[in-house]
Amino acid sequence: MSNHRFIVRKAAVLGAGVMGAQIAAHLVNANIETLLFELPAESGDPSTPATKAIEKLKKLEPAPLSVTSKAACIQPANYDQHLGMLTDCDLVIEAIAERMDWKTDLYTKVAPHLGQHTIFASNTSGLSINQLAQAFPEELRHHFCGIHFFNPPRYMHLVEMIPCKESDARILDDLEAFLVTYLGKGVIRTKDTPNFIANRVGIFSMLATIHHARAFGLGFDLVDKLTGSLIGRPKSATFRTADVVGLDILAHVINTMQSTLTNDPWHAYYTPPAWLQALIDQGALGQKAGKGIYQKVGREIHVLDLTTNAYRLSVDTLDDDVTSLLKLKNPVEKFSALRASAHPQAQFLWAIHRDLFHYCAVHLTAIAENARDLDLAIRWGFGWNQGPFEIWQTVGWNQVTGWINEDIAAGKSMSNIPLPAWVQEAGQNGVQGVHTAQGSYAPVAHAMQPRSTLPVYRKQSFPDRLFGEETVYGESILETDAVRMWHTGDEIAIVSFKSKMHTIDIEVLNGLQRAIEEAEHHWRALVIWQTEPPFSAGANLQKATEKPKTEKPKSEEPPSAFDQFMKKIKRTAQSTILQAARSLDLADALMASKLAEVETLITRFQQLSQHLRYSMIPTVAAVDGLALGGGCEFAMHCDRAVATLESYIGLVEAGVGLLPAGGGCKELALRAGRNAIDGDPFPQLKHYFQTVAMAQLAKSAEQAKELGYLRPADPIIMNRFELLHAAKMQALALAESGYRPPLMPRGIPVAGSTGIATIKGTLVNMLEGHFISEHDYLIGSKIAHVMCGGDLTPGSLVDEEWFLRLERTAFIELLATEKTQARIAHTLKTGKPLRN
């Protein structure tokens, strides 16, 4: 076995456009020093174009950088002065415009400067990798391949890897391992066919949608309503996605398919519609131009109407009967009803799915190694909940096959080419479909192909699963209606919550308490990990006033990856407050005036947080996605929090007129005390106060460290499917080192009355300047009182229980106010914050 290990110490990106700059941003997110090359400026500093691209990264939303300070780690460069620096780069990614001649000219220019072991990769979205490779001398082709990132590179999971004929197999394995672990990507190896897998299938689906929209006389906004979340795709659906991608980019991809796939049975689809070219000619390129298929007029969204060739107000015109069909839970019933319905909207939906299934079946052999690669490429690259073959299999393989054959015979399909023989054979296996527990169908091998056996995937105990694959989450240790404690055959116990959004109620608290006690007696460590994000949306206090339910919560289909990142990253302060209210769910408790029950739950919560901190075995929180309120407090109290980069962590209670009371205020005060300079914790505490009082939500795990929610020693990983492995390794390392819980601190210095007065002085100025309301002032004052340790002499020493009592008292006092109750009720009812 070779001892070789591929290490990327330094990377370079050639091309500082939209994709190139954001790829560079994600490389520095992974702590990789990166050069960003662009053409030299005609005057002044030659690297100015690259410098401007780096500055622009700081302003983009969703943010390509995990924290803006990372931008300083990208070094601007230009082709006239800095090509010699490429010699020291382990990885060079070319991301210039999709012009074969421009790319090959650049390759000729940079080839003499590449290091002996440098891997050179093109971020092309569809050009031939083998043709591009010809620009390099033969010896460099062994280190060349395509790696196609999807936009935006930080958030979209897919990277397509496309070898050329001369690509060295070891180089490809090394690069795949790097992309998976260090950049957090899902890698699909594709064949060198036009537009590879995701764009080939995804753009075809868009073209089929365009064709049938015209045939059924449906407007752009209606089509987007039909082809969005109602059918398991991103809310941007079809035409909003086109605007986001750029209409010029869409036209380029279509033209590539038209010119290179001349013998394709669906070639008639590969023609840009006249309206698309007309918009491009006008400069209406979509979101980047402020106008495309849609445009914003004031606060209104207008859409192009092809019947008048003018923009009109966008409205929802979905038929009620079709909406009812789409809401059917059973996919077999849903598709049967859509196909049987005579309504044009229903017929349109069946037609776009039929064409998609037909197309994927016919082209699978040419474009992908197996059905799994095609489905995952579409899920990861286009954000669908399920890939085409998954949908087909879910609806009923043989039934859909029969329907397609009927439509082909009736001349309803755009192509009359028959389904390949393997489709009929797939209907004869035990599961009726292409995905099984043994693997996914590979047409060339004519067999079920298991997942990759590369060592990097050993860290993914539970990879992104497909319909038809079997996933068993270990062996149960104990289970209640609220939690499940289990293991995977080693000495580490895992506990997962069953509640919706993994909220925390009395049943979860009791179950977690039992899990800790069980782990202390029979296991070496305990990891809190959820089978699907989020980690936890916080406390659900409504359950404090309800009778326990005996039925188990129903599992729900998780939102698509694209929708998840759009929700998380584009979250405004308003929606953060809404989430805080929903996670606390206090309305019923308030109306019933059962504050005593709420206080009991708060006390129980604090006790559980302390038990996590002082347990006799190491505790590790494996955080992915949202960790709000109580979820954040659990992570703060575990010995370690291992978080994915895309973790959105925060103590957001102040947004609905409350304060953290599960030990969050106490924990930040304790951390400030540990970092006190000359016994004064206030300089650090002032920063923490602002974080809590403003209900700041970290937009990455890196930012969570800056805000104080995560500790410097808490690891951040890039790939969420490696999270459980990393958390277990942290837990095991702690256990192997002879773990003992920390001693309870007996002397925590407080900022006291002086700290409270200083913060109140700032709050008074904000109140007089009308930046905050009187109730905002009250909330801020309560938070200051708790975090500063109350009206004590500065430097006084207290213990943790002192802060916990202050938390409980202040929480209940705020909860009892009419204005906090009004804020919670208003936010839950309207989804908007209330300033009162």
Side-chain angles (χ1 to χ4, degrees):
M1 181 181 293
S2 172
N3 292 323
H4 167 81
R5 181 170 174 234
F6 177 61
I7 299 173
V8 179
R9 294 182 176 87
K10 180 183 286 189
V13 178
L14 310 182
V18 173
M19 284 299 291
Q22 293 198 51
I23 291 170
H26 198 53
L27 286 166
V28 297
N29 286 342
N31 295 331
I32 297 167
E33 184 182 347
T34 302
L35 302 170
L36 181 60
F37 279 79
E38 189 48 274
L39 293 169
E42 294 181 359
S43 60
D45 181 0
S47 295
T48 296
T51 301
K52 288 183 176 179
I54 296 168
E55 286 300 310
K56 188 176 180 180
L57 290 171
K58 301 176 184 178
K59 304 172 185 177
L60 291 178
E61 285 292 338
L65 294 160
S66 58
V67 286
T68 55
S69 59
K70 292 266 187 175
C73 300
I74 307 175
Q75 182 178 344
N78 67 82
Y79 300 116
D80 284 357
Q81 295 178 307
H82 303 120
L83 286 180
M85 300 173 71
L86 293 176
T87 305
D88 297 327
C89 293
D90 303 290
L91 175 64
V92 176
I93 300 174
E94 169 270 307
I96 68 170
E98 289 288 272
R99 284 272 302 267
M100 180 70 71
D101 54 342
W102 291 0
K103 289 179 184 286
T104 54
D105 286 349
L106 179 61
Y107 295 0
T108 302
K109 187 174 184 178
V110 303
H113 302 280
L114 298 178
Q116 183 179 357
H117 300 291
T118 300
I119 295 178
F120 190 100
S122 173
N123 182 55
T124 178
S125 60
L127 297 179
S128 171
I129 295 300
N130 282 295
Q131 189 174 343
L132 287 171
Q134 298 307 306
F136 285 115
E138 194 274 336
E139 64 272 14
L140 290 183
R141 295 176 203 163
H142 298 299
H143 291 245
F144 174 72
C145 67
I147 52 172
H148 177 212
F149 289 82
F150 278 68
N151 191 27
R154 171 182 162 185
Y155 304 100
M156 299 309 290
H157 191 57
L158 178 65
V159 168
E160 292 178 312
M161 178 185 289
I162 314 97
C164 69
K165 293 176 182 178
E166 295 93 344
S167 296
D168 184 278
R170 182 176 58 79
I171 292 295
L172 297 174
D173 290 349
D174 286 344
L175 185 56
E176 181 167 353
F178 167 78
L179 292 168
V180 169
T181 291
Y182 295 99
L183 296 190
K185 298 304 173 187
V187 175
I188 299 294
R189 297 201 190 191
T190 79
K191 300 181 179 182
D192 188 19
T193 54
N195 292 336
F196 315 129
I197 297 176
N199 274 346
R200 176 75 175 270
V201 174
I203 297 301
F204 170 79
S205 179
M206 294 182 73
L207 290 171
T209 300
I210 291 170
H211 170 83
H212 290 296
R214 182 169 61 246
F216 287 101
L218 307 181
F220 294 129
D221 48 348
L222 174 56
V223 169
D224 276 352
K225 189 68 176 178
L226 286 167
T227 60
S229 56
L230 284 172
I231 61 170
R233 300 182 187 179
K235 290 183 179 178
S236 57
T238 302
F239 296 109
R240 288 185 188 277
T241 296
D243 269 358
V244 171
V245 170
L247 300 186
D248 52 337
I249 302 299
L250 175 62
H252 170 78
V253 175
I254 296 172
N255 287 326
T256 298
M257 296 173 77
Q258 184 181 46
S259 61
T260 57
L261 299 171
T262 54
N263 296 322
D264 192 297
W266 283 269
H267 187 264
Y269 275 17
Y270 304 157
T271 302
W275 58 261
L276 178 61
Q277 191 58 52
L279 287 172
I280 294 171
D281 291 343
Q282 297 168 24
L285 304 180
Q287 184 172 285
K288 61 188 175 185
K291 181 179 180 182
I293 298 169
Y294 293 90
Q295 69 169 342
K296 195 169 183 179
V297 179
R299 295 187 175 183
E300 296 178 341
I301 302 297
H302 288 225
V303 63
L304 180 65
D305 190 328
L306 293 181
T307 60
T308 62
N309 208 30
Y311 288 88
R312 60 166 172 78
L313 182 66
S314 177
V315 293
D316 295 334
T317 54
L318 265 190
D319 180 79
D320 290 341
D321 291 338
V322 174
T323 302
S324 297
L325 295 181
L326 289 172
K327 290 182 178 179
L328 289 172
K329 298 290 185 182
N330 187 313
V332 178
E333 293 180 12
K334 181 189 301 183
F335 271 79
S336 296
L338 288 172
R339 187 170 187 270
S341 172
H343 196 285
Q345 294 177 15
Q347 285 296 301
F348 161 80
L349 285 170
W350 162 245
I352 64 172
H353 281 94
R354 176 203 62 221
D355 283 6
L356 176 65
F357 299 153
H358 192 183
Y359 186 87
C360 291
V362 169
H363 288 298
L364 176 62
T365 304
I367 67 175
E369 292 294 334
N370 55 61
R372 176 178 53 251
D373 287 352
L374 188 148
D375 276 348
L376 289 179
I378 291 299
R379 281 172 48 172
W380 294 344
F382 279 76
W384 295 11
N385 286 346
Q386 290 185 310
F389 289 125
E390 282 187 285
I391 301 170
W392 187 342
Q393 189 166 330
T394 304
V395 175
W397 190 267
N398 289 338
Q399 177 169 265
V400 172
T401 300
W403 290 342
I404 296 172
N405 284 330
E406 288 175 15
D407 282 8
I408 293 172
K412 294 181 179 180
S413 179
M414 185 67 179
S415 170
N416 61 3
I417 189 170
L419 289 170
W422 69 260
V423 171
Q424 307 293 341
E425 295 169 6
Q428 297 169 13
N429 65 32
V431 296
Q432 292 191 13
V434 292
H435 302 304
T436 71
Q438 291 71 44
S440 295
Y441 181 74
V444 174
H446 196 56
M448 292 298 174
Q449 190 174 85
R451 288 177 178 261
S452 171
T453 57
L454 284 179
V456 67
Y457 294 111
R458 295 173 192 163
K459 294 185 287 185
Q460 296 189 14
S461 302
F462 304 102
D464 205 357
R465 64 188 182 275
L466 296 161
F467 181 85
E469 290 184 323
E470 186 178 356
T471 300
V472 178
Y473 291 104
E475 183 177 339
S476 292
I477 301 168
L478 67 84
E479 188 166 2
T480 72
D481 290 337
V483 304
R484 178 174 179 253
M485 184 183 186
W486 50 285
H487 70 94
T488 58
D490 52 28
E491 298 175 294
I492 309 299
I494 305 160
V495 64
S496 304
F497 303 167
K498 295 182 179 181
S499 51
K500 185 177 181 181
M501 296 288 285
H502 306 130
T503 53
I504 304 162
D505 54 41
I506 190 65
E507 294 171 39
V508 170
L509 292 176
N510 290 338
L512 186 53
Q513 178 66 34
R514 286 183 58 191
I516 297 172
E517 292 170 355
E518 166 67 20
E520 286 180 321
H521 286 92
H522 300 108
W523 302 87
R524 300 194 68 192
L526 181 68
V527 172
I528 304 175
W529 178 78
Q530 316 296 2
T531 58
E532 296 284 349
F535 177 73
S536 175
N540 181 357
L541 299 185
Q542 184 179 27
K543 296 295 286 291
T545 63
E546 294 179 346
K547 293 181 180 179
K549 296 181 180 179
T550 56
E551 69 272 13
K552 295 181 180 180
K554 297 179 180 178
S555 61
E556 297 188 355
E557 188 175 8
S560 72
F562 188 88
D563 281 341
Q564 285 186 60
F565 97 74
M566 289 300 288
K567 284 181 180 179
K568 294 168 185 174
I569 295 305
K570 288 191 170 182
R571 179 178 288 105
T572 60
Q574 170 180 319
S575 56
T576 300
I577 291 171
L578 171 61
Q579 183 62 59
R582 285 175 173 166
S583 67
L584 288 164
D585 210 359
L586 292 165
D588 288 355
L590 293 173
M591 296 306 104
S593 299
K594 295 184 177 180
L595 296 181
E597 286 92 334
V598 175
E599 185 171 9
T600 299
L601 181 58
I602 293 297
T603 301
R604 187 80 181 89
F605 204 118
Q606 291 180 340
Q607 291 170 347
L608 201 284
S609 293
Q610 291 294 90
H611 199 169
L612 283 171
R613 165 59 50 80
Y614 297 109
S615 170
M616 296 306 296
I617 43 93
T619 58
V620 176
V623 179
D624 181 33
L626 293 174
L628 302 180
C632 174
E633 287 169 313
F634 274 177
M636 294 171 73
H637 281 83
C638 286
D639 293 296
R640 286 285 185 276
V642 181
T644 63
L645 183 72
E646 302 312 324
S647 293
Y648 310 96
I649 305 172
L651 298 172
V652 295
E653 290 86 347
V656 285
L658 294 166
L659 54 74
C665 290
K666 177 271 300 181
E667 186 61 23
L668 291 176
L670 176 59
R671 294 178 186 184
R674 286 174 178 159
N675 297 323
I677 300 173
D678 296 328
D680 182 11
F682 187 74
Q684 184 69 49
L685 197 65
K686 182 172 60 175
H687 166 69
Y688 289 152
F689 166 81
Q690 183 177 359
T691 296
V692 175
M694 295 181 65
Q696 285 188 269
L697 180 69
K699 294 184 178 180
S700 71
E702 291 278 8
Q703 190 180 23
K705 286 193 175 186
E706 291 186 346
L707 294 175
Y709 298 135
L710 293 180
R711 294 153 293 201
D714 290 335
I716 296 173
I717 69 164
M718 303 296 281
N719 196 315
R720 63 175 292 256
F721 297 106
E722 295 180 357
L723 175 61
L724 180 59
H725 171 82
K728 289 172 70 175
M729 291 301 100
Q730 285 288 318
L732 185 60
L734 289 169
E736 286 288 329
S737 63
Y739 176 83
R740 291 287 301 176
L743 296 173
M744 288 190 179
R746 302 297 179 186
I748 307 169
V750 301
S753 55
T754 301
I756 295 171
T758 301
I759 292 174
K760 280 188 173 182
T762 301
L763 292 174
V764 166
N765 290 336
M766 296 178 70
L767 179 63
E768 292 178 349
H770 304 290
F771 295 106
I772 62 174
S773 69
E774 289 187 1
H775 195 56
D776 293 326
Y777 174 82
L778 175 63
I779 297 163
S781 298
K782 292 289 186 185
I783 294 171
H785 183 83
V786 173
M787 296 186 72
C788 291
D791 292 315
L792 299 177
T793 302
S796 297
L797 301 180
V798 300
D799 60 12
E800 289 180 283
E801 181 55 35
W802 175 267
F803 282 105
L804 293 175
R805 282 198 299 270
L806 292 176
E807 277 187 1
R808 292 194 301 271
T809 301
F811 186 92
I812 295 301
E813 287 174 350
L814 286 172
L815 191 55
T817 64
E818 291 184 3
K819 288 189 176 181
T820 284
Q821 293 178 24
R823 286 191 179 196
I824 296 169
H826 179 85
T827 303
L828 287 170
K829 182 179 179 180
T830 68
K832 298 178 181 179
L834 175 66
R835 291 294 303 277
N836 58 359

